[in-house]
């Protein structure tokens, strides 16, 4: 009687639910925007969603004589704006030679299926994480880009507003930089439209940041900030959390590899600067749609899914991961782009 060969992947530990749970538990090592906690997760059950826009206004109420009829509240008509959630699949493969006769690095122990699977999932999770960071950074700029640099969604066009640009004129030593900051703050405050915030944050490129902190009207403030960070002895980076003019400034270094050219693409240009409110309630959301599997139909979306499929002839096992994230700024009027000169 021939010996029965057991499929090591045909167990509960490698089904869709378990692998999806495992990949979502892997720590996300990428993403400054994610660390800032700007986008609130909002899972959805469909691949398309509608964002309701209501131009709510706070109205002054006229006093009336006692007994007179009260003015009736006018309810503005809502506008529905459709958005399509990006579908981002990714694949890898486990071959017998990945396990057979191999030892785990740094040990004499043989490599196991669990180790190989965990390594693959971690690597794939990292690619999904940096992709999500790229999408979120696009939402903070007002234009969401796909991995190849094409525009997925222009929020300014979708909401029918004009992008706000403020020229900081940092090449001019006489520029009132604090006054420029006040322009940013007032614009953000005027466009919150009923939402709240804790402060305004700016993520900027290296050239913008260096030019800013060298400006005569800013330099002494940055030097005091850097010295205070040094005296704290925490090892913190002074380029993060520098406050000036009521704005928290930070040099942003996020970048990824363009899948078409293989070259690195910075998420913010060296001379770019992008301002946005932090601590809002409803302005920034990231929607997760369900995976493209029968098992996930009409379920709430998760940040990432993972599934394995064995080759019918037992020659390999394919690992399929996918994410379906759509970060949105529902009030793109609060976004400001800084121009260096």
């Amino acid at each position: 009687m021939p010996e029965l060969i057991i499929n090591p992947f045909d167990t509960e530990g490698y089904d869709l639910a378990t692998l999806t749970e495992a990949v979502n538990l892997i720590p996300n090592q990428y993403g400054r925007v994610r660390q800032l906690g700007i986008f609130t997760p909002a899972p959805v059950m469909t691949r398309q969603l509608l964002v309701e826009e209501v131009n709510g206004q706070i109205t002054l109420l006229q006093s009336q004589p006692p007994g007179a009829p009260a003015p009736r509240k006018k309810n503005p008509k809502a506008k529905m704006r459709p958005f399509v959630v990006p579908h981002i699949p990714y694949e890898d493969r486990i071959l017998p030679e990945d396990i057979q006769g191999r030892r785990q690095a740094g040990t004499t122990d043989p490599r196991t299926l669990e180790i190989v699977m965990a390594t693959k999932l971690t690597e794939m999770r990292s690619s999904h994480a940096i992709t999500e960071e790229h999408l979120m950074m696009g939402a903070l700029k007002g234009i969401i880009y796909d991995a190849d640099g094409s525009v997925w969604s222009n929020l300014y066009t979708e909401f029918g507003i004009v992008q706000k640009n403020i020229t900081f004129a940092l090449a001019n030593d006489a520029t009132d930089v604090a006054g420029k900051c006040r322009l940013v703050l007032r614009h953000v405050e005027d466009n919150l439209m009923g939402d709240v915030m804790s402060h305004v944050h700016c993520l900027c490129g290296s050239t913008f940041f260096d030019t800013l902190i060298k400006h005569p009207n800013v330099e002494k403030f940055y030097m005091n900030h850097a010295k205070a960070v040094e005296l704290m002895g925490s090892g913190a980076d002074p380029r993060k959390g520098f406050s000036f003019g009521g704005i928290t400034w930070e040099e942003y270094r996020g970048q990824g590899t363009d899948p078409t050219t293989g070259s690195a693409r910075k998420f913010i240009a060296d001379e770019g600067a992008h301002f946005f409110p932090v601590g809002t309630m409803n302005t920034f959301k990231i929607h997760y749609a369900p995976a493209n599997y029968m098992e996930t139909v009409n379920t709430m979306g998760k940040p990432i899914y993972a599934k394995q499929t064995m080759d019918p002839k037992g020659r390999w096992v394919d690992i399929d991961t996918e994410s379906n994230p759509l970060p949105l700024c529902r009030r793109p009027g609060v976004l400001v782009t800084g121009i260096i000169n």
Side-chain angles (χ1 to χ4, degrees):
M1 182 177 180
E3 182 180 356
L4 176 63
I5 299 178
I6 298 176
N7 175 7
F9 295 91
D10 190 18
T11 65
E12 182 179 344
Y14 295 95
D15 59 15
L16 173 64
T18 306
L19 277 187
T20 295
E21 181 180 1
V23 76
N24 277 293
L25 289 176
I26 295 174
N28 186 341
Q29 301 297 333
Y30 294 91
R32 179 58 182 154
V33 176
R34 179 191 61 81
Q35 292 174 347
L36 289 172
I38 300 167
F39 291 86
T40 304
V44 294
M45 297 177 63
T46 61
R47 301 290 296 280
Q48 295 183 338
L49 57 95
L50 294 174
V51 174
E52 183 181 61
E53 179 192 4
V54 180
N55 292 323
Q57 296 180 347
I58 300 176
T59 304
L60 294 176
L61 300 177
Q62 176 66 39
S63 62
Q64 302 288 341
R72 184 175 296 275
K73 181 180 180 295
K74 296 180 180 180
N75 295 315
K77 185 177 180 180
K79 296 179 181 179
M80 305 303 292
R81 304 189 183 278
F83 291 91
V84 177
V85 180
H87 172 59
I88 306 172
Y90 197 33
E91 295 181 356
D92 203 347
R93 177 170 288 176
I94 297 178
L95 299 168
E97 52 263 36
D98 292 329
I99 304 172
Q100 183 67 42
R102 305 287 295 274
R103 66 177 179 84
Q104 181 61 18
T107 72
T108 58
D109 300 328
R111 185 174 294 181
T112 64
L113 168 64
E114 290 78 8
I115 290 174
V116 174
M117 180 66 78
T119 301
K120 297 277 190 184
L121 288 177
T122 300
E123 293 170 350
M124 299 173 83
R125 178 71 176 91
S126 297
S127 293
H128 282 286
I130 196 67
T131 302
E132 186 176 294
E133 174 79 2
H134 180 242
L135 293 171
M136 289 193 293
M137 191 64 243
L140 291 180
K141 295 161 69 174
I143 303 177
I144 303 173
Y145 295 93
D146 211 336
D148 61 359
S150 61
V151 175
W152 180 267
S153 181
N154 186 323
L155 300 181
Y156 301 113
T157 302
E158 294 289 346
F159 285 86
I161 64 174
V162 178
Q163 181 178 357
K164 180 63 175 180
N165 299 319
I166 293 180
T167 301
F168 273 74
L170 295 177
N172 185 351
D173 290 351
T175 297
D176 179 8
V177 183
K180 299 289 186 179
C181 294
R182 289 192 293 273
L183 291 178
V184 173
L185 294 171
R186 288 165 182 159
H187 180 82
V188 174
E189 291 165 353
D190 290 344
N191 286 274
L192 280 172
M193 298 173 61
D195 206 344
V196 297
M197 70 173 182
S198 58
H199 68 280
V200 171
H201 203 99
C202 175
L203 295 177
C204 54
S206 55
T207 301
F208 192 104
F209 188 83
D210 289 344
T211 307
L212 171 74
I213 63 176
K214 291 177 182 177
H215 193 276
N217 293 329
V218 180
E219 186 175 19
K220 62 182 179 180
F221 295 96
Y222 181 76
M223 295 300 294
N224 289 337
H225 162 75
K227 188 63 177 178
V229 171
E230 180 182 351
L231 291 175
M232 288 172 59
S234 61
D237 189 340
R239 295 176 300 171
K240 297 181 179 180
F242 167 52
S243 295
F244 175 80
I247 297 172
T248 301
W249 301 81
E250 179 176 341
E251 180 183 349
Y252 182 80
R253 303 285 294 166
Q255 63 179 10
T257 302
D258 189 305
T260 56
T261 64
S263 59
R265 185 195 306 137
K266 296 180 179 180
F267 298 167
I268 291 181
D270 288 341
E271 295 187 349
H274 299 277
F275 303 84
F276 50 89
V278 175
T280 60
M281 299 291 290
N282 299 304
T283 298
F284 298 102
K285 300 285 186 181
I286 180 164
H287 301 280
Y288 295 110
N292 191 33
Y293 302 133
M294 292 301 296
E295 300 100 310
T296 59
V297 171
N298 292 330
T299 63
M300 301 301 289
K302 296 180 181 295
I304 185 172
Y305 292 84
K307 187 176 185 179
Q308 62 85 21
T309 306
M310 190 154 190
D311 173 60
K313 296 184 178 181
R315 296 170 295 179
W316 60 70
V317 173
D318 286 326
I319 306 175
D320 299 290
T321 61
E322 71 167 81
S323 57
N324 302 277
L326 178 62
L328 284 178
C329 174
R330 299 183 175 189
R331 294 175 174 84
V334 301
L335 306 177
V336 179
T337 299
I339 300 175
I340 191 170
N341 290 320

